[in-house]
């Protein structure tokens, strides 16, 4: 894809295991919200891991995004 000015990137040393752990942790932190909303449709949830905000995006019962939002507040 194309690069955009507001994109963020993971550390160069990140592993697949780190990404999986991050996604699991954000989901765990938002367990109640996910149970209420389900995974159908399209929405995003945020979680904090080691003082960094991460975002997971759902679309039609699948995880489509995992990233560090530019705005951390």
């Amino acid at each position: 894809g194309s690069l955009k000015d507001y994109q963020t990137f993971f550390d160069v040393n990140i592993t697949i295991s780190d990404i999986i752990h991050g996604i699991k942790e954000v989901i765990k932190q938002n367990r109640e919200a996910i149970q209420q909303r389900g995974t159908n449709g399209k929405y995003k949830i945020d979680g904090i891991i080691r003082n960094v905000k991460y975002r997971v995006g759902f679309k039609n019962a699948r995880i489509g995004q995992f990233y560090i939002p530019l705005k951390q507040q």
Side-chain angles (χ1 to χ4, degrees), residues 42-72:
K42 184 177 176 181
Y43 66 95
K44 297 173 186 168
I45 56 173
D46 292 341
I48 305 292
I49 304 168
R50 292 186 293 277
N51 295 320
V52 177
K53 183 193 290 186
Y54 290 85
R55 185 166 290 157
V56 173
F58 290 101
K59 184 176 180 183
N60 298 324
R62 295 187 178 169
I63 296 169
Q65 297 176 315
F66 177 65
Y67 61 97
I68 302 168
L70 198 56
K71 291 185 180 180
Q72 286 290 304

Side-chain angles (χ1 to χ4, degrees), residues 14-68:
I14 196 165
T15 66
I16 298 296
S17 293
D18 293 335
I19 293 171
I20 291 168
H21 172 76
I23 292 169
K24 286 181 176 182
E25 182 61 29
V26 172
I27 289 171
K28 181 179 170 186
Q29 291 177 22
N30 290 275
R31 188 172 151 176
E32 289 181 26
I34 294 168
Q35 286 176 335
Q36 289 175 355
R37 294 179 81 168
T39 53
N40 290 329
K42 184 177 176 181
Y43 66 95
K44 297 173 186 168
I45 56 173
D46 292 341
I48 305 292
I49 304 168
R50 292 186 293 277
N51 295 320
V52 177
K53 183 193 290 186
Y54 290 85
R55 185 166 290 157
V56 173
F58 290 101
K59 184 176 180 183
N60 298 324
R62 295 187 178 169
I63 296 169
Q65 297 176 315
F66 177 65
Y67 61 97
I68 302 168

